[in-house]
Amino acid sequence: MASIKKIGAGVLGVAVIAAAGAGVWAYQTLNTSRSAVADDTLTLAEFTSEDQDAIARGEYVMRAGDCVACHTRGAGAFAGGYEIATPFGTLVSSNITPDVETGIGAMTERDFFNAVRHGQGSEGMLYPAMPYTAYAKLTDQDMHDLWDYMSTVEPVSNPIDENGGMRFPYNQRLAMAGWNMLFFDNAGFDGDPEAERGRYLVDGAGHCSACHSPRNELGAEMASAYLEGGVVDGWYAPDLTQNPHVGLGGSTAEEIADYLRTGSDGTSVAAGPMAEAVEHSLQYLTQEDALAVGSYLTSLDASDVAPVAPLSLETAEMQRAADDYEVNCSACHGLAGEGITGMVPAFAGNTAMLSNPTGMIHAMLKGARAPHTGVLQTAAGMPSFAWKMSDAQVAEILTYVRNNWGNGAAAVDPAAVAQMREDLGAREKIGTPTN
Amino acid sequence: MTSRKSPGMNRRQALFSIGTAAAATGLATTGRAAELHGFPHETAMSADHLPVPAHRGGSFRILTDETDRATLKAAFDRLIPADDQGPSASEAGCLEFLDDQLSRPYGEGAALYLDGPMNREREAAIMGAAQVFATPRDRYAAGLPALEAYAQATDGAAFAALSPDRIDEILTGLEAGEIDLGDDVDGQAFFELMLQNAREGYLADPLYGGNRDMAGWKMIGFPGARYDFRPYIDKRGEELNLTPVSLIPND
């Protein structure tokens, strides 16, 4: 039950606070008046747009927002059913096809705006696993177009009990009002979405901070560490600021655009949840939009993460790791850590892997796959090494690549590998007759 | 029919949308977006593709008779004796290797066709070679006592107690088909089976119980389960001194 979108995971405890904070605060959080621009008479089931331009634009909004990531999972396009494990129980993504009984066919455009931008759905408050926290920034026009697109979606009957797997009191949707009051900025985009196209895409539809910003104990993004990296579902979403040691400090807007549209900037290759995001969403961005995102990201102030002095490779452990690297890794990642352009990540000059090693441990234990995109179609696979390497061996080899070829990073702790092995249900190393 | 005519809409917002920009560019330095469906995202190997290591613990499961084991050890250690090139077959774990294999499908003859129709008397003529109708497990169960009985009958001593030269003589006789081990055992075929299994135990990956410390691989200069030899491909005729690597390394 992997879930990138464990987003609202830590969230729900706040529930109770809802009752307390009435007044203006609550009013601002719950106020949907800016979405009164949308029609409130015609339901989605009754409406089928014939405005082909609007539909095409709406599809692009849908791609940019990556709706399919959660809402298309085996039951048909947008028919929901994706199970999201949280510490409070299991959430299931909703059916957002125009089916009246089981989808959103009974919603008017106003209802749709309220759900997507304000987190207020037809069955009550949405859980913030749905990134309405970011979609709140979507312009009226983008929302109108998205509505037109959704009207063309094939209705699918697929009943979903979204929060039936949540434990009390987290199965009380009203609880989210409390969370919203604490953490949800209900306002629209606070700038000119045309002039600040990159920021609009990153903070709105792209909902990048959902993964790339760290979250507090209640599952809310920490604004003070905006896009400075976060752990999501056993993967690390790297620092996207201009930090030269662990972030995008050395990257140009063009390289970032390439990464978004193809899955690789020539050095690193998307994996895990980011591979899915590239595959289902980001590869659909126009070059202009991808460049806008790149330009915005390269304009961010660097986080204050300091460089780590490289560990010595002269120790017995690192010499052994060098042999292990040659035997197991070098065929694809290269003897000089150079990788294979556009297919296999390089280690040399790959700053994204020098901070939190969670994703690397994950890839070692479960394997990983590059995204399949229109440009880079190999979708090369990283095999799992769980069956042939112990926790100590995995840690050692990761420490080696993180401290070779000009890299410098903290040693990887075998205990972290052991924990991840357990969390992921990865198999133990095969026991041999001599150990 | 649309539902978007709404009085409060800001003109600027009406003109602006994510999609308009999409229509305007067409700059595509790169190809069309494409998604591939139906291929596995998981890359972990399924359990039945993984190697199955030898049992751990060192106790024998099939070769439980001490005399049988002594006979086998004596034969194996003449086929591959200890010398300055490396350890003997038994020192390298060939008995443990064989015992483990005999406890598995190999021992049961899972890959052999052992059912009829067949005419045992004529199979060898039809097939052009001696045919064996027993599983490896049964062949050792019959062959080792037969070998011991042969030594007792001819030399009045246990096979394992014979001199190396005498054992060589018997093995040579078996190989040549000149020694009769009785009706139930084809001596020549049994010799070939032991030779094959001794070699396998000496050279198989250590995870299967033999080739201890990769002694067999070190002897012949085999570098083991390495993934890629491109760094060495141009080093023809050079001593590479590569440390062999097991499929499941223990260091």
Side-chain angles (χ1 to χ4, degrees):
Chain A
M1 265 327 78
S3 132
I4 322 163
K5 304 88 195 175
K6 209 186 242 183
I7 308 193
V11 168
L12 316 176
V14 202
V16 194
I17 300 169
V24 177
W25 198 14
Y27 174 76
Q28 284 173 346
T29 305
L30 301 173
N31 181 13
T32 60
S33 61
R34 70 188 174 93
S35 288
V37 294
D39 170 76
D40 200 25
T41 56
L42 213 52
T43 67
L44 187 61
E46 296 164 342
F47 166 63
T48 302
S49 173
E50 288 164 8
D51 182 343
Q52 296 307 320
D53 290 344
I55 294 168
R57 292 193 305 264
E59 181 174 5
Y60 191 78
V61 176
M62 181 279 292
R63 287 296 181 189
D66 203 5
C67 307
V68 299
C70 286
H71 289 285
T72 299
R73 289 280 168 161
F78 303 106
Y82 179 44
E83 294 187 5
I84 300 164
T86 82
F88 311 99
T90 301
L91 274 174
V92 186
S93 68
S94 56
N95 179 346
I96 57 169
T97 71
D99 185 62
V100 176
E101 300 298 324
T102 66
I104 60 169
M107 274 191 177
T108 64
E109 188 183 24
R110 179 92 54 90
D111 297 333
F112 181 69
F113 276 42
N114 288 346
V116 174
R117 293 207 301 201
H118 308 288
Q120 299 179 31
S122 53
E123 295 173 10
M125 307 298 292
L126 302 188
Y127 290 82
M130 159 78 178
Y132 59 84
T133 45
Y135 297 158
K137 311 302 169 203
L138 288 173
T139 63
D140 292 346
Q141 184 62 54
D142 279 337
M143 288 298 299
H144 285 307
D145 290 338
L146 185 57
W147 174 250
D148 275 50
Y149 173 73
M150 292 311 295
S151 78
T152 67
V153 168
E154 197 65 34
V156 175
S157 176
N158 184 35
I160 302 281
D161 185 3
E162 289 90 353
N163 60 350
M166 298 294 279
R167 290 188 295 278
F168 184 84
Y170 311 114
N171 56 0
Q172 302 302 302
R173 286 176 179 272
L174 188 59
M176 296 312 112
W179 189 89
N180 284 350
M181 275 192 273
L182 287 176
F183 302 119
F184 175 39
D185 176 10
N186 190 21
F189 188 66
D190 64 348
D192 179 341
E194 206 168 353
E196 294 186 80
R197 180 91 181 145
R199 182 164 75 90
Y200 175 68
L201 285 163
V202 166
D203 290 348
H207 62 286
C208 306
S209 64
C211 295
H212 288 276
S213 290
R215 288 173 182 270
N216 65 21
E217 289 179 357
L218 295 171
E221 294 166 22
M222 294 161 68
S224 60
Y226 174 67
L227 298 182
E228 291 184 9
V231 173
V232 178
D233 208 27
W235 293 91
Y236 180 67
D239 187 334
L240 300 183
T241 73
Q242 281 294 288
N243 186 302
H245 316 297
V246 296
L248 293 177
S251 295
T252 65
E254 286 75 15
E255 286 166 341
I256 295 170
D258 280 350
Y259 182 93
L260 298 174
R261 296 193 69 210
T262 71
S264 175
D265 58 4
T267 300
S268 61
V269 176
M274 190 61 184
E276 291 187 47
V278 167
E279 210 164 292
H280 304 314
S281 169
L282 299 166
Q283 68 160 322
Y284 290 88
L285 292 181
T286 63
Q287 178 70 7
E288 193 174 62
D289 276 354
L291 276 172
V293 170
S295 299
Y296 171 61
L297 292 179
T298 53
S299 76
L300 296 176
D301 291 337
S303 66
D304 55 10
V305 178
V308 175
L311 300 170
S312 169
L313 299 181
E314 302 306 314
T315 64
E317 289 81 17
M318 288 299 100
Q319 291 300 308
R320 191 167 58 205
D323 285 343
D324 286 346
Y325 179 86
E326 187 197 313
V327 168
N328 295 291
C329 316
S330 70
C332 296
H333 292 285
L335 282 172
E338 73 273 23
I340 300 173
T341 306
M343 199 184 298
V344 177
F347 295 138
N350 189 343
T351 52
M353 59 173 225
L354 297 183
S355 137
N356 185 316
T358 298
M360 303 178 79
I361 299 172
H362 195 137
M364 286 290 290
L365 292 177
K366 277 296 213 183
R369 197 179 279 286
H372 173 278
T373 63
V375 180
L376 299 179
Q377 304 203 341
T378 303
M382 155 88 181
S384 158
F385 285 87
W387 60 281
K388 70 178 298 182
M389 288 192 189
S390 65
D391 298 335
Q393 288 169 319
V394 170
E396 219 167 76
I397 212 160
L398 290 179
T399 298
Y400 174 78
V401 300
R402 279 156 56 92
N403 286 281
N404 202 352
W405 310 299
N407 293 336
V412 174
D413 183 359
V417 181
Q419 184 63 53
M420 178 78 83
R421 202 186 283 265
E422 186 183 331
D423 292 348
L424 297 176
R427 63 155 302 137
E428 292 294 323
K429 180 190 173 187
I430 290 175
T432 58
T434 47
N435 67 3
Chain B
M1 144 170 114
T2 81
S3 59
R4 85 167 42 137
K5 306 290 180 284
S6 40
M9 193 147 122
N10 170 312
R11 183 164 180 274
R12 183 169 187 82
Q13 286 184 332
L15 289 172
F16 172 78
S17 88
I18 290 178
T20 4
T25 45
L27 169 66
T29 54
T30 47
R32 257 178 89 85
E35 293 181 53
L36 185 68
H37 300 283
F39 71 97
H41 281 265
E42 291 277 327
T43 57
M45 287 201 288
S46 58
D48 58 354
H49 286 177
L50 293 172
V52 179
H55 294 110
R56 301 163 74 174
S59 61
F60 286 86
R61 290 160 185 258
I62 304 297
L63 302 170
T64 51
D65 184 274
E66 277 190 37
T67 308
D68 283 355
R69 272 211 307 278
T71 304
L72 184 63
K73 176 177 183 295
F76 268 18
D77 285 352
R78 290 312 302 158
L79 294 172
I80 306 179
D83 59 16
D84 56 1
Q85 304 281 317
S88 73
S90 67
E91 287 164 353
C94 291
L95 262 64
E96 288 82 357
F97 166 86
L98 177 59
D99 184 73
D100 186 75
Q101 286 300 309
L102 291 179
S103 76
R104 296 181 186 280
Y106 171 78
E108 295 160 9
L112 304 175
Y113 183 78
L114 297 172
D115 295 330
M118 63 175 76
N119 180 335
R120 296 201 172 197
E121 288 66 42
R122 298 189 52 232
E123 285 301 307
I126 294 168
M127 300 303 291
Q131 297 297 299
V132 175
F133 305 105
T135 66
R137 199 184 291 167
D138 290 343
R139 292 175 69 191
Y140 277 100
L144 293 172
L147 201 50
E148 173 67 6
Y150 178 82
Q152 294 287 357
T154 57
D155 296 68
F159 183 84
L162 302 178
S163 70
D165 286 347
R166 176 60 183 142
I167 293 176
D168 287 356
E169 199 178 343
I170 296 174
L171 292 174
T172 307
L174 285 171
E175 183 178 23
E178 293 163 355
I179 290 179
D180 184 2
L181 290 183
D183 290 346
D184 293 336
V185 180
D186 180 329
Q188 192 174 35
F190 186 58
F191 171 86
E192 284 166 6
L193 182 67
M194 287 194 293
L195 179 60
Q196 175 195 324
N197 290 158
R199 285 169 169 162
E200 288 167 346
Y202 207 78
L203 296 171
D205 194 295
L207 75 95
Y208 301 113
N211 192 7
R212 275 187 196 144
D213 301 322
M214 294 179 277
W217 290 355
K218 287 173 185 164
M219 174 192 273
I220 64 171
F222 178 62
R226 289 167 179 268
Y227 194 91
D228 186 14
F229 290 94
R230 282 175 298 173
Y232 306 101
I233 205 157
D234 292 331
K235 300 185 176 179
R236 290 171 186 277
E238 291 178 41
E239 188 61 61
L240 298 177
N241 294 318
L242 290 174
T243 309
V245 182
S246 167
L247 197 55
I248 313 283
N250 285 316
D251 56 7

